[in-house]
């Protein structure tokens, strides 16, 4: 039964990591994909991306996130490239199953003039950059909820090798963008078989039952 209400979408959303030993069939139609991107675009953001990032887009869009979308064919080509480069992660098996992969990056503001970043840091730890990360995460959640609405299994991956410079170069992603999520979307009719493994999110069943992390202040008076 399709998910209809916002409450149903939120409560039904779950992680489904689909792994396949061989490529599966299944395309995501352009209208469905466009609907997901439109939903993601409604995420709130507090600050515009910096001029360096905006100047790369024809319309100078202010959003602090970027979506780099790989269709079915591109997913399989990336899978072949990773395997040819001796990748030992589970990413190739997910690419074999995926209808679409969306590399969601965020655009860090540069550090203040004269400030050098530590060698192990890719961005300045500023309030604005914290807002950019939060906004991009909200865009990803919108995308996942829209996928849930259409009964599409999805997986928000931190990316592993997909966040590395060689893959960015291959996909034409500017190296000063930072991967926040590699979002895999799988065919709606995917079922567990000997060939296909579907793994749930590791933390789903570990959610607290009494929501002790939530404190309600009934009054500020003693």
């Amino acid at each position: 039964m399709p998910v209809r209400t916002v409450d149903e979408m939120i409560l039904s959303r779950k992680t489904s990591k689909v792994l396949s030993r061989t490529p599966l069939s299944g395309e995501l139609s352009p209208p469905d994909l466009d609907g997901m991107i439109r939903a993601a675009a409604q995420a709130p953001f507090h600050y515009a991306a910096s001029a360096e990032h905006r100047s790369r887009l024809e319309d100078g869009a202010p959003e602090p996130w970027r979506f780099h979308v790989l269709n079915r064919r591109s997913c399989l080509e990336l899978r072949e490239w990773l395997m040819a480069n001796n990748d030992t992660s589970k990413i190739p098996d997910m690419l074999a199953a995926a209808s679409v992969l969306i590399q969601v990056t965020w655009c860090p503001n540069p550090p203040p003039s004269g400030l050098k970043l530590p060698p192990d840091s890719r961005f300045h730890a500023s309030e604005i950059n914290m807002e950019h990360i939060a906004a991009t995460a909200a865009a990803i959640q919108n995308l996942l909820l829209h996928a849930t609405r259409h009964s599409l299994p999805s997986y928000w991956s931190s990316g592993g090798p997909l966040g590395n410079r060689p893959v960015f170069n291959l996909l034409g992603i500017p190296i000063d963008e930072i991967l926040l999520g590699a979002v895999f979307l799988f065919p709606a009719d995917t079922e567990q078989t000997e060939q296909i493994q579907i793994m749930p999110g590791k933390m789903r069943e570990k959610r607290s039952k009494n929501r002790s992390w939530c404190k309600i202040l009934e009054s500020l008076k003693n």
Side-chain angles (χ1 to χ4, degrees):
M1 179 179 296
V3 177
R4 299 187 183 280
T5 70
V6 173
D7 283 351
E8 287 177 332
M9 284 190 289
I10 293 172
L11 295 175
S12 300
R13 192 218 60 79
K14 62 181 180 180
T15 293
S16 295
K17 181 192 293 187
V18 182
L19 308 170
S20 178
R21 299 173 192 167
T22 59
L24 304 180
S25 60
E27 291 278 357
L28 187 63
S29 72
D32 286 343
L33 178 59
D34 183 66
M36 291 181 188
I37 302 302
R38 286 176 178 270
Q42 296 306 307
F45 62 99
H46 196 175
Y47 297 104
S50 64
E52 293 88 338
H53 294 285
R54 296 180 64 182
S55 65
R56 296 186 184 127
L57 303 181
E58 188 173 315
D59 61 353
E63 289 84 355
W65 57 73
R66 299 289 182 266
F67 281 33
H68 306 272
V69 182
L70 283 73
N71 63 13
R72 178 72 181 140
R73 177 178 177 179
S74 296
C75 285
L76 295 180
E77 290 175 348
L78 177 56
R79 174 178 180 265
E80 292 176 0
W81 185 89
L82 289 169
M83 294 171 67
N85 284 273
N86 302 312
D87 182 84
T88 58
S89 71
K90 294 180 180 179
I91 297 295
D93 286 354
M94 284 191 279
L95 288 168
S99 299
V100 167
L101 165 65
I102 304 177
Q103 292 273 87
V104 183
T105 60
W106 68 281
C107 303
N109 275 31
S113 179
L115 178 65
K116 291 186 177 181
L117 295 177
D120 59 345
S121 178
R122 293 190 60 192
F123 63 93
H124 177 52
S126 65
E127 180 181 343
I128 290 179
N129 280 334
M130 181 175 68
E131 293 273 2
H132 287 344
I133 294 170
T136 305
I140 293 175
Q141 178 72 347
N142 279 6
L143 181 74
L144 297 178
L145 292 176
H146 197 280
T148 300
R149 168 68 178 83
H150 292 275
S151 302
L152 295 174
S154 62
Y155 178 61
W156 177 352
S157 168
S158 57
L162 298 180
N164 295 341
R165 181 184 292 266
V167 173
F168 270 41
N169 289 340
L170 178 68
L171 303 182
I173 301 175
I175 200 60
D176 59 352
E177 294 179 17
I178 299 177
L179 185 69
L180 187 64
V183 180
F184 291 83
L185 302 172
F186 304 104
D189 57 355
T190 303
E191 296 182 357
Q192 184 111 356
T193 66
E194 290 185 3
Q195 182 69 26
I196 302 169
Q197 183 180 12
I198 303 177
M199 301 172 62
K202 293 181 180 179
M203 301 302 294
R204 184 170 181 82
E205 300 305 321
K206 297 182 180 180
R207 296 182 190 273
S208 58
K209 304 300 182 184
N210 59 4
R211 296 184 291 279
S212 59
W213 41 263
C214 177
K215 180 180 179 181
I216 299 175
L217 303 178
E218 303 259 350
S219 173
L220 300 185
K221 298 179 180 180
N222 293 330

